[in-house]
């Protein structure tokens, strides 16, 4: 169904966007692409649509079914994209018209019955049909974009980072859905991502870009993910804590050493308050999105806010930095605040180069190196960067303001594990050495365990559990926490 032969893409300035690669995908199979951020995964996926950066030098060939998308004229290319292939990009918010409701977004590309089935398949209720993209969390936007792709029912489906911004249980559910599309519907899938365990479970073949490692074959389709045995997110909060201890013992995510101990034994009572949130409430269309939120972050602390997609985490982050109107309560911040949003595409001015975006930095090259980026990227525009590179530019920009509080919304979701660790290690060093206060929104419980001192679990707009990270992971007392670590 898909045959790529010696495909390579070079930017107009001479930078390598995609090293030569050959790949073959049979009909009704799932091929996964992994590799570090910036290695060319998104460039390869877009080439299957016949889309490459303007003025880029392209060599090699691409065939999808009976079509060669890189050689089609504009009219033939539109027909090919309409009937033969569906693509969902890394930044779903950029692909969803903000003026349209979810129902219109789905039915503009599929029959109403197919649209509602697709929405249910990604675990969103019918009530979401009346909402607009701005009323959705990043994870919910990703699921709506995926539902649009599923509803079209084309023979080839291309998904760029479909698991980013989703919590563990939902990642496994979407993984099973994709595997079912392959085995039962005969769809040919190409999927990129950094969630190696999930990709190896569901893929027929995994290809690592930007690496000399030979292709690795995944287990057969029969080894696709089994339903989670973890308690449901709706498990009663009154369930016996001792039963949770027996189930989990010492949670594998728990750090051997509490990272908070590194900060000179500083306790919450002794730490200088940098962020204080009191009884914060946010409503949208007369519907409570956040209710009764109380939260504090002291100097040198890193507090994680975790919870399922749609719990209100991004809304909380935006309310803290003043980008979301509140219905009540208060937010007090001592000093400057930096914000790194989840949407890396929408957070950068498309008309400014990286150097212009970081113009306030004393040394642009040093600012880029601090977030694991090559200074040669300084003259590129956002559309010439990968999603992970854009996210790191946004982080570098936030750090140039020398903030006392840094609010990070899923800043590692588009990064490969090595880069994610490096970025979190940088923030951890700033926290310990300079007293930077961190509010970290994440679904990566491993990073939370290693780099955060405290954690609050958000579900349905309320904080249902708070405490030291090690304590909550060792003995969770609410179903929402169990669902995240199970």
């Amino acid at each position: 169904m898909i045959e790529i032969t010696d495909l390579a893409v070079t930017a107009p300035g001479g930078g390598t966007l995609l090293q030569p690669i050959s790949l073959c995908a049979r009909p009704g199979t799932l091929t996964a692409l992994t590799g570090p951020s910036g290695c060319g995964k998104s460039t390869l996926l877009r080439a299957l649509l016949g889309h490459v950066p303007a003025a880029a030098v392209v060599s090699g060939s691409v065939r999808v079914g009976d079509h060669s998308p890189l050689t089609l004229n504009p009219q033939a290319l539109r027909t090919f994209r309409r009937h033969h292939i569906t693509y969902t990009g890394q930044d779903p918010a950029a692909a969803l018209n903000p003026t349209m409701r979810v129902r219109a977004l789905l039915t503009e590309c599929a029959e109403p019955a197919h649209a509602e089935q697709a929405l249910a398949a990604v675990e969103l209720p019918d009530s979401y049909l009346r909402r607009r993209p701005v009323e959705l969390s990043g994870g919910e936007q990703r699921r709506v974009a995926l539902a649009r792709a599923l509803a079209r029912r084309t023979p080839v489906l291309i998904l760029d980072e479909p698991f980013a911004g989703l919590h563990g249980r939902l990642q496994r559910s979407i993984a099973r859905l994709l595997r079912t599309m392959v085995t039962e519907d005969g769809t040919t899938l190409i999927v990129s991502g950094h969630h190696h365990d999930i990709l190896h479970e569901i893929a027929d073949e995994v290809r690592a870009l930007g690496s000399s490692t030979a292709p690795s074959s995944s287990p057969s389709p029969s080894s696709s993910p089994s339903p989670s045995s973890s308690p449901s997110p709706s498990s009663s909060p009154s369930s016996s804590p001792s039963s949770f201890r027996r189930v989990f013992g010492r949670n594998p995510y728990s750090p051997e050493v509490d990272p908070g101990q590194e900060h000179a034994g500083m306790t919450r009572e002794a730490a200088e308050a940098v962020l204080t949130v009191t009884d914060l409430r946010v409503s949208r269309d007369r519907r409570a999105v956040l209710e009764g939120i109380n939260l504090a972050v002291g100097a040198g602390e890193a507090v994680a806010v975790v919870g399922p997609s749609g719990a209100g985490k991004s809304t909380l982050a935006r309310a803290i930095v003043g980008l979301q109107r509140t219905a009540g309560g208060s937010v007090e911040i001592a000093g400057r605040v930096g914000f790194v949003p989840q949407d890396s595409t929408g957070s950068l001015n498309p008309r400014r180069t990286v150097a212009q975006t970081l113009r306030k930095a004393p040394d642009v090259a040093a600012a880029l190196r601090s977030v694991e980026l090559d200074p040669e990227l300084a003259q590129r525009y956002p559309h010439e960067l990968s999603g992970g590179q854009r996210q790191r530019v946004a982080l570098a920009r936030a750090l140039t303001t020398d903030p006392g509080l840094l609010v990070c919304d899923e800043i590692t979701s588009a990064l490969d594990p090595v880069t994610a660790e490096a970025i979190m290690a940088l923030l951890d060093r700033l926290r310990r050495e300079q007293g930077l206060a961190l509010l970290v929104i994440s679904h990566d419980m491993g990073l939370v365990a290693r780099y955060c001192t405290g954690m609050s679990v958000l579900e349905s707009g309320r904080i249902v559990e708070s405490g030291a990270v090690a304590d909550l992971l060792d003995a969770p007392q609410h179903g929402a926490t169990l669902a995240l670590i199970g």
Side-chain angles (χ1 to χ4, degrees), residues 320-343:
I320 287 172
V321 300
L323 295 176
Q324 170 69 53
R325 179 178 297 177
T326 62
S330 65
V331 176
E332 298 180 10
I333 300 174
R336 292 191 183 95
V337 58
F339 179 45
V340 187
Q342 186 174 5
D343 177 14

Side-chain angles (χ1 to χ4, degrees), residues 23-24 26 32 49 80 112 123 205 210 240 278 311 371 378 401 473:
L23 183 150
C24 182
R26 301 185 311 278
L49 300 170
F80 165 71
E123 300 192 19
E205 181 181 8
S240 168
T278 305
V371 293
T401 64
L473 294 182

Side-chain angles (χ1 to χ4, degrees), residues 9 25 46 50 61 85 110 166 214 259-260 267 361 419 440-441 462-463 470:
V9 182
R46 288 194 291 264
S61 63
I85 193 168
L166 305 180
T267 64
T419 304
V440 179
I441 293 173
R462 291 179 175 271
I463 292 179

Side-chain angles (χ1 to χ4, degrees), residues 268-298:
R268 176 173 297 278
E269 290 75 18
E272 177 187 353
V274 177
L275 170 66
T276 304
V277 179
T278 305
D279 195 28
L280 182 68
R281 301 185 302 279
V282 174
S283 298
R284 188 179 294 128
D285 290 339
R286 299 180 181 179
R287 177 177 58 87
V289 179
L290 293 175
E291 193 167 358
I293 301 297
N294 294 288
L295 188 69
V297 184

Side-chain angles (χ1 to χ4, degrees), residues 249-257 445-446 449-450 469-475:
R250 180 161 184 82
N251 191 277
Y253 287 124
S254 297
E256 294 299 324
V257 179
M445 300 305 294
R450 288 191 291 278
V469 173
D471 292 343
L472 292 188
L473 294 182
D474 280 344

Side-chain angles (χ1 to χ4, degrees), residues 178-480:
L178 299 183
R179 187 66 237 177
T180 298
M181 293 179 62
V182 170
T183 56
E184 297 185 6
D185 301 336
T187 307
T188 303
L189 266 71
I190 307 289
V191 180
S192 76
H194 299 300
H195 298 78
H196 292 179
D197 291 345
I198 292 178
L199 292 176
H200 276 82
E201 286 178 343
I202 66 173
D204 298 287
E205 181 181 8
V206 178
R207 294 294 302 271
L209 275 65
S211 169
S212 58
T213 304
S216 60
S217 297
S218 293
S220 64
S222 62
S223 64
S224 57
S226 59
S228 171
S229 58
S230 304
S232 165
S234 60
S235 299
S236 171
S238 62
S239 300
S240 168
S242 61
S243 67
F244 293 151
R245 293 191 187 96
R246 287 198 297 272
V247 171
F248 286 96
R250 180 161 184 82
N251 191 277
Y253 287 124
S254 297
E256 294 299 324
V257 179
D258 181 3
Q261 295 174 356
E262 300 174 3
H263 194 69
M266 179 176 288
T267 64
R268 176 173 297 278
E269 290 75 18
E272 177 187 353
V274 177
L275 170 66
T276 304
V277 179
T278 305
D279 195 28
L280 182 68
R281 301 185 302 279
V282 174
S283 298
R284 188 179 294 128
D285 290 339
R286 299 180 181 179
R287 177 177 58 87
V289 179
L290 293 175
E291 193 167 358
I293 301 297
N294 294 288
L295 188 69
V297 184
E301 291 185 328
V303 174
V305 176
V306 301
S309 173
K313 301 184 300 297
S314 294
T315 300
L316 174 58
R318 291 175 61 83
I320 287 172
V321 300
L323 295 176
Q324 170 69 53
R325 179 178 297 177
T326 62
S330 65
V331 176
E332 298 180 10
I333 300 174
R336 292 191 183 95
V337 58
F339 179 45
V340 187
Q342 186 174 5
D343 177 14
S344 61
T345 298
S347 67
L348 301 177
N349 189 326
R351 296 184 178 182
R352 289 182 178 175
T353 64
V354 170
Q356 291 169 332
T357 297
L358 302 179
R359 64 191 184 281
K360 293 183 179 179
D363 185 335
V364 171
L368 290 173
R369 281 192 291 266
S370 73
V371 293
E372 300 285 312
L373 286 177
D374 191 327
E376 292 183 359
L377 298 178
Q379 299 310 315
R380 290 194 187 180
Y381 289 89
H383 73 274
E384 298 175 306
L385 305 175
S386 71
Q389 289 170 333
R390 289 193 296 267
Q391 193 68 288
R392 281 177 279 170
V393 170
L395 173 58
R397 178 183 58 185
L399 292 174
T400 61
T401 64
D402 192 24
L405 169 69
L406 186 63
V407 180
C408 303
D409 190 359
E410 295 282 6
I411 65 169
T412 62
S413 64
L415 304 180
D416 60 277
V418 173
T419 304
E421 286 281 355
I423 294 302
M424 289 305 298
L426 165 68
L427 296 180
D428 188 60
R429 178 175 59 80
L430 294 174
R431 174 185 71 82
R432 290 182 286 107
E433 296 178 358
Q434 301 179 18
L436 176 66
L438 295 173
L439 185 69
V440 179
I441 293 173
S442 179
H443 287 109
D444 191 329
M445 300 305 294
L447 289 181
V448 168
R450 288 191 291 278
Y451 294 106
C452 292
T453 59
M455 183 170 78
S456 290
V457 182
L458 196 65
E459 183 184 52
S460 300
R462 291 179 175 271
I463 292 179
V464 296
E465 192 167 11
S466 294
V469 173
D471 292 343
L472 292 188
L473 294 182
D474 280 344
Q477 298 186 33
H478 194 279

Side-chain angles (χ1 to χ4, degrees), residues 33-58:
L33 305 178
T34 65
S37 174
C39 69
K41 300 186 296 295
S42 296
T43 299
L44 173 58
L45 296 182
R46 288 194 291 264
L48 294 171
L49 300 170
H51 175 73
V52 292
V57 178
V58 181

